[in-house]
Amino acid sequence: MSDAAREFIVARFEDERRLIDAVRAVRARGLRVYDVYAPYAIHGLDAAMSLRRSRLSIATLAGGIAGLVASLAFEFYAAVIDWALNVGGKPDNSTLAFIPIAFELTVLGAGLATVAAFLSRCRLLPTMNARPVDAAVTDDAFVLALRCRQTAFDRSLVERLLFEHGAETVVSKVIEP
Amino acid sequence: MAQELTFFKRRPDAETSRRDFLTRIGFTLAASALASCSRGPVQKAIPFLNKPEEQTPGVANWYATTCAGCSAACPLLVKTRDGRPIKIEGNGESPLSGGGTCATGQATVLSLYDPDRLTGPMWHGETITWDEIDRRITERLAAARERGVVLLTNTIVSPSTTALIADWSRRFPKFRHVSYDAVSFSALRQATRECFGTAGVPHYRFDRATTIVGIDADFLGTWLAPVEFTRQHAARRRRALSGEMRHYQFEAGVSLTGSNADRRFGMAASDHGAIALALLRRIAAHAGITEPLPDVDAAIDEHAIAAAADDLWRDRGQSILVCGSNDVSIQVIVHAINAILGNIGATVDVDLPSLQKQGDDGAVDALVEDMNRGDVHVLMTYGVNPAYDLPAGPEFVRAMESVALTISFADRLDETAAHSHAVCPDHHFLEAWGDAEPVKGSFSLAQPTIAPLFNTRAAQESLLKWLGESPDFYSYVRAVWRRELYARQDRYHTFDEFWDHSLHDGVFEDPARGYRSQGSARLDPERWHAAARAIAHDHQRAAAARMPDSYELQLYETVALRDGRHANNPWLQELPDPVTKVTWGNYIVLAPSAAKALEVETGDVVRLAVGDHMCDLPAYVQPGQAQRTVSIALGYGRDRAGKVGNAVGVNAFPLVAAHGGHRRYVRGDVVLQRRTGKQLPLAATQTHHSIEGRPIVKTITLEELLSGTPEVMAPQPSLWPEREGGEHHWSMVIDLNACTGCSACVTACQAENNVPVVGPDEVRRGREMHWIRIDRYVDVAPDNDAALDVAFQPMMCQHCQDAPCETVCPVLATVHSSDGINQQIYNRCIGTRYCENNCPYKVRRFNWFQYAGNQEFDYTTTDPLERMVLNPDVVVRSRGVMEKCSLCVQRIQAEKLSAKQEGRRLADGRIKTACQQSCPANAIVFGDLNDPESEVARLRRSRRHFTVLEELGTRPNVGYLMRVTNGEKTEKPS
Amino acid sequence: MTRWKLVIAIAAITSVVGAGVVARELSRVGVHQWYSPVQPIAFSHKLHAGDSRIPCLYCHFGARTSRHAGIPPANVCMNCHGILQKQSAEIEKLKELVAIARPIAWTKVHNLPDFVYFNHSQHVIAGVACQACHGHVERMERIEQEAPLTMGWCIQCHRAHSGGANAPAASLDCGKCHY
Amino acid sequence: MTAPVVARERRAVDFTGTRTATPWIEGEPTLREISDDVIRPLVTRPGFGWWSCFAVALCALLIGVSAVAYEIATGIGVWGLNRTVGWAFDITNFVFWIGIGHAGTLISAILLLLRQQWRTAISRSAEAMTIFAVMCAAMFPLIHMGRPWLAFWVIPYPNSRGPLWVNFRSPLLWDVFAINTYLTISLVFWYLGMIPDFATLRDRTEAGIRRAVYSVLSLGWNGSARTWSRYETTTTLLAGLATPLVISVHSIVSMDFATSVLPGWHTTLFPPYFVAGAVFSGFGMVLLLLIIVRTVMHLERYITIAHLEAMSKIMLLTGSIVGFAYATEFFNAWYSHNVYERYTFVNRVSGPYAWCFWTMAGCNALAPQLLWMRRVRRSVPALFILSILVNVGMWFERFVIIVTSLHRSFLPSSWTMYRPTIIEVGTLVGSFGLFFTCFLLFIRVLPMIAMWEVKAVARHASGAHV
């Protein structure tokens, strides 16, 4: 990928309010926001960037069902099919007594599935060389990144636009994908 | 930053150290892996060189022999495995014991493996060879030929030994045989001789009595022949269910017999005579005898006396009066009453008397004088321990110094042997030949069940040897039997045939034996008038001598330790006393009122002073104990019994008094005083004795039973669908009306199932391991604290069909078998104790420590010798696992297998659990519910049947038959 | 990123495989299949039980009546070797030991833990062939433990014979072997 | 390779002027100040206060370690248990610690779902407390076994015994699964919450070992809005899972008793009653910890009186529920007309362990009623004492339930007394040692306040958010 392709306009804000304004303005200009970086989850930003609602809950459901079915099936197999022992005169298939464990494993499955899905979807993996667009975004900076190479992109116009909406600094930067 | 860098730089060794840390880890892992995979020690298997004919490894052999635990000499069957006796059972062939045993008898097998036994003869404390010691002794005997040679023994019930002693008196002109019993019956003996001219004490037949009156005679616990009497009593009770039978007990302390009486009355220990006289007066009146009787003023319950006397009279000829006093006059009165009632020959047999308790107290006192005078040159002590169990023990030891040669046959260096010149250790009875005639005309044989473990020799063989004859008691016994008994029977035509059968059966009944009734055995009124006057006189003297703040002391035997000769037996030391449930040691029993007066509670130390003799004992507060009487158990306080028995409790024999040449176990001149602040906590297995009004032990009155109420309980509905069972459905029923609480089953179970002994400290912590315990509930009438309602309930795993313990075990270590047994799998158990918590009956026992082979618990399984008693068919449990009654599953398996081997159907009654087999009252029945004809199925249908806590829906397979109370015992619990 | 994925993948695989191996090894702790120690006398079951067809129970008579099959006492050996002319170094060993009346200390091959009650006669009656547990003894020069003798191994046979209506049914109750 | 920056004169806009004071953070820290305050403990040397606490905790831990070592080497017999009382200190401590754990989950999960902003400052340490408490709790079922080295038998793994599985009907087995699930989910939740803070730490640390560690832990977090949005979904989902989980865990623990046959144990009231009690004791412990921490670590501006008051209100509620449960138990016993039930409760109030019962009733049911008074709710010393009382009381509650029910159950013949030995006391002390050692290390090496959450709250509250 050529440098041009990886070149971005990176605007830094001090305040989430201005950031959101900027996002709105930029998108109004028909420009695509590459990404926004912030020290915490900014409410209303999703709307401004019109991000789709996450589908992680599907993973949760799947994990839960898997845990439930697997545990119930195993308990039934062990206690009824494989070796039915007379325990306190109870019937081999004491389903009621099997429920607590099934429930716990349901929760376990759902929880782990959710987290696994989240990590993989966001490509969060142990890494030594994390390269945040700006070291301050995890502290107190709010950053908006625009890809330079896109239709209707005019550097000077964009810079002005950003400054108008309260950007502190606007730099052009190469971001490794 | 700099910090981080230096963190690396400054420690060049970091890497290396880390590396060899890793290597070490790796090594340990590898090592442990290797260790776990290696097959441990190689096991060797060493077969016989030449296999003995009768012995197959792993198959049990049974031998009939005779118990030497006490003078009752019960016939036994001994189970040996691979040549080792491991279990003792009663011999069902016996007309006396009927297959029952007592706790003592059950425990004798452990004494065989007692590591404190002497391993060979000793001379002045040095080990020596038999030849050498024989040489020295024969020399000295020859020297003493014309002088006094004395053999001091306890009662000899063996005809052969008696014959041998006769040989001695023929050989040595001045030979004397003196016998005494640690707990003496000499007064009863003398009274019997005076009244009926019989030598011996009467042979009582409680099974023929409709009214039984006991005065301080604990005939179900320790008096004379408890096993036989328990059998009789239970048999009579069983018959009585369809009729009238009543047992009155007058007693000072609370005894096992009193606890089982229909009506129990308290009395001062000194009132034996007064009560006997009062009974006589009323019965004489009934009988129309007019001569006036002297009066004694004693605070006795006239109504009780009247009731008892009237019942005795109503059932004359089938009633019985026994008294535990060792006072001739009182026993004469008792005989007189029985004679007037025409019980002599019916329930009291004086023609074929009991040959137990032939001891003569006067003779011993005389002997001590002779010894001091120097008239005794050789003294042999056999089966007695005078230094310990004579009241004048120290005097006796001093007297021994003036005897040229003292020989002891003791099996250990006991109190007497320690002061003897020569000790010629006797065999344990399981190693020796012998015979017995406890009751005239009923004989039994004793045969060795194992080759002598040590370099010991039967006392009889020593005696033979010193007579210059061949030391072969086997042939001697044979000879005696050929001479005495072979002629009396005509069943077998050769002696060998006769001998083999007798040896096989273990018992021989003289066919000529049989009760020649002499119902009209009247005795001369003048005799009992004299006795009455004597009693009145004594009573006045005693009353005059009594100090205001003094108490009466009553000395008694405990079911476990009896006269103390078995003090080194850990099974007996840890056997809870049936009445107090206390183990490991004796104590002073106080009435609640006395305790209040002394401001003591159970466990506080009380100092007891008799003249200048003092001893400190923990108090035990006992409802039902007579107000002014305190009781102390004999048989404790040994100091040369061995590692287990030494210094347990206090020796009470020095407190025994003497009167008219007879020992007296009651005295009135005792002063008590509280030792402030001192405590000796008792090791009791049960500390709460009230049943709290809970329907646990169910009781039904005879009226209710006969009138057909209550109806049979409908079985509780179960939440769960019934699981289909297997081929059998094992079940047990225990008859609470027959059970006397004698605790033989407890020891039997301990022997059968390798139950560990844990010692006093653990018992104090509530950690005894017995699989079967006997719960004892006592409730006291509000008005009269002598009228106890005592209930015994053997309690072991109830083997519930719907067992709460099984559901909660996380690892399936306790599950239900197809044939109804609640199984405990030790090797699967991880020890969460959840089952124990969830068991409503609290019958599960946890191995809090590693008991087997642990020096901390040096009782039964530490010494390799002791381990020989272990039952190889039952695993020895390790630390951290739960255990409990298995219904003797090993016996069930064995019987099922032998039935299979012999291709026959498993008959009902073939399987006997250890507790069931030992029970002298036959209170326990085990069997298969799938067989509707089986005894247990029949009892389960009985109107008296109930299961404990059935409202919980645990559906126990162990059931109980209700107690039947008889007589106006309205003051019932709840 | 990809490098990390690789690392993680490898880590995951190795841990799974490692766990499997460890579990497998641990499950064999105390299992001594194929144990075949050298015996004081090189007794050949192949020769006796195989070639000369001596029935197992002739020497191991205990199995008929006792929980222990038992190793035959020397006099049983001598029943034949007292008469037979055939000599060998091993037979010499036997005869010497008998001469000096010293029993032979064989090394036990088939060992069960103490907490298991096993009864030979029970299985002999039920008609279980000796080979079912001891393997093809008649082909072994030196005796060898062919079966794992684990509980699972016992159970699979008991399961197979538990339903028997006419044949003696093998019990699956824990208390059948553990008490 | 940054392109030449086009510098422009910065617009003079004053954000700070618009801030308004919030109840949940005192003073008006900027985002950077928040980071500084939270990170300070991680980079500065610990003070005397911390060291002394740590020393004490470590000693306690050592006592516990030696007590447990001795017990495992010798046998459970070194405890005071007997044939009738099979559980006492061990399971009391187990239930006690599990209960403590619950407040953490409640704060981090349930209050999250309820959008309670005040939780942000305390959630991190509350979750840490949960994890350490569950660790302490999990220790007791292990060491209370007669043969702990075989504990792995409770896991249904394929084995050479048939295979022989486990008894899924046993509440003890339910515990195994409940506790492990609870521990796992709590750990995951905890770690997930720390990822953004690890990123912050990473970006504030120069290259080096620390930075390496932080960047590995932060999983390359770059604060992207997309990640943030999914992140919020995930935490919400996990919170949704943790809420029923936390309730199930203590319900299952209560079933150890409720499913038994013992009078005093066998009651359907237990699950809700235990959950309420758990939350109650948990908040007691959080309060205790935070009162200590905020003073020792100088975090008063983040952990404010308002926080303490909010928690004390929850204590008041749950404490009253617990008190009501006690009353209900007695009513049932009386109403059941069952001789065994009735005796058990009479024995509780008047038997040999009556003093334990009254301690429990006083600390749990009566003492919290003081919290009706605002003055008490806002007075740190009062809350400090109350939180200690609550923990004592809740420990005794479990002791009373377990021991008084066991020592006098159905058959009077087996009634006994239980007396703890020094070893058992040592083990209890040790569990506290373990807990506080872990917690003290935690506040030194990990950000004990969720920076990103506090920042969000700070900004939202500042009205900067439209």
Side-chain angles (χ1 to χ4, degrees), chain C residues 65-123:
Chain C
T65 55
S66 167
R67 65 183 282 196
H68 307 300
I71 296 177
N75 59 347
V76 173
C77 311
M78 295 313 285
N79 287 351
C80 301
H81 287 286
I83 309 156
L84 290 176
Q85 296 308 313
K86 180 173 184 307
Q87 282 306 350
S88 79
E90 299 302 324
I91 299 172
E92 276 313 312
K93 279 192 209 165
L94 167 71
K95 292 186 168 170
E96 281 165 25
L97 287 165
V98 173
I100 61 174
R102 172 178 304 143
I104 309 155
W106 301 94
T107 302
K108 204 159 172 289
V109 179
H110 297 87
N111 298 310
L112 286 178
D114 297 347
F115 51 71
V116 183
Y117 180 89
F118 177 83
N119 191 313
H120 274 93
S121 62
Q122 194 142 19
H123 293 78

Side-chain angles (χ1 to χ4, degrees), chain A residues 17 24 27 29 32 59 71 80 87 120 137 160 169 172:
Chain A
R17 192 173 38 174
R24 290 217 183 88
R27 299 188 71 240
R29 286 279 192 294
R32 288 198 359 271
S71 51
V80 181
V87 178
S120 54
V137 290
R160 198 181 319 108
T169 61
S172 74

Side-chain angles (χ1 to χ4, degrees), chain D residues 366-397:
Chain D
L366 304 182
Q369 302 309 322
L370 291 173
L371 294 170
W372 288 107
M373 288 178 279
R374 189 158 192 280
R375 240 178 44 264
V376 180
R377 287 205 301 272
R378 297 188 72 84
S379 127
V380 175
L383 290 180
F384 184 74
I385 294 165
L386 267 176
S387 58
I388 291 176
L389 285 185
V390 166
N391 280 295
V392 172
M394 284 309 291
W395 188 90
F396 270 103
E397 175 191 300

Side-chain angles (χ1 to χ4, degrees), chain B residues 694 767-768 808 834 836 879, chain D residues 72 79 83 170 256 410:
Chain B
R694 301 181 172 190
R767 296 178 183 172
E768 76 279 1
V808 297
Y834 199 174
E836 175 191 24
R879 165 199 152 187
Chain D
I72 289 179
W79 291 355
R83 56 165 150 68
S170 165
D256 285 347
F410 292 99

Side-chain angles (χ1 to χ4, degrees), chain B residues 757-879:
Chain B
V757 171
V758 296
D761 294 343
E762 287 295 282
V763 174
R764 270 184 210 102
R765 295 192 187 102
R767 296 178 183 172
E768 76 279 1
M769 294 299 282
H770 297 133
W771 282 6
I772 179 173
R773 64 173 195 260
I774 299 194
D775 291 346
R776 178 245 188 189
Y777 297 110
V778 52
D779 282 82
V780 187
D783 49 347
N784 157 14
D785 78 345
L788 301 175
D789 183 1
V790 184
F792 293 101
Q793 183 174 46
M795 182 53 67
M796 78 293 275
C797 176
Q798 303 287 293
H799 294 275
C800 315
Q801 276 301 90
D802 297 347
C805 54
E806 293 172 6
T807 321
V808 297
C809 175
V811 292
L812 295 166
T814 180
V815 293
H816 220 69
S817 84
S818 58
D819 46 15
I821 297 178
N822 169 261
Q823 310 167 110
Q824 177 66 31
I825 315 304
Y826 315 119
N827 48 301
R828 176 65 171 174
C829 178
I830 57 176
T832 67
R833 300 184 299 289
Y834 199 174
C835 52
E836 175 191 24
N837 292 338
N838 207 23
C839 172
Y841 311 94
K842 290 287 173 270
V843 290
R844 295 182 149 256
R845 298 288 177 260
F846 188 67
N847 286 270
W848 299 99
F849 296 102
Q850 176 63 40
Y851 293 120
N854 182 345
Q855 286 301 333
E856 299 289 313
F857 302 94
D858 184 8
Y859 301 108
T860 54
T861 49
T862 316
D863 191 303
L865 185 65
E866 296 162 333
R867 299 172 80 99
M868 288 172 77
V869 83
L870 291 174
N871 179 355
D873 290 342
V874 178
V875 66
V876 175
R877 279 76 63 187
S878 76
R879 165 199 152 187

Side-chain angles (χ1 to χ4, degrees), chain A residues 18-91:
Chain A
R18 285 178 172 65
L19 176 71
I20 294 177
D21 296 350
V23 171
R24 290 217 183 88
V26 168
R27 299 188 71 240
R29 286 279 192 294
L31 289 163
R32 288 198 359 271
V33 173
Y34 172 69
D35 203 343
V36 170
Y37 304 92
Y40 55 82
I42 300 168
H43 287 239
L45 186 58
D46 299 12
M49 292 174 71
S50 60
L51 295 175
R52 264 196 281 92
R53 195 167 157 286
S54 155
R55 298 190 304 279
L56 282 170
S57 42
I58 297 167
T60 316
L61 181 66
I65 290 173
L68 178 69
V69 172
S71 51
L72 272 181
F74 175 67
E75 289 182 277
F76 185 79
Y77 166 76
V80 181
I81 297 165
D82 188 36
W83 197 342
L85 285 157
N86 180 351
V87 178
K90 309 262 190 302

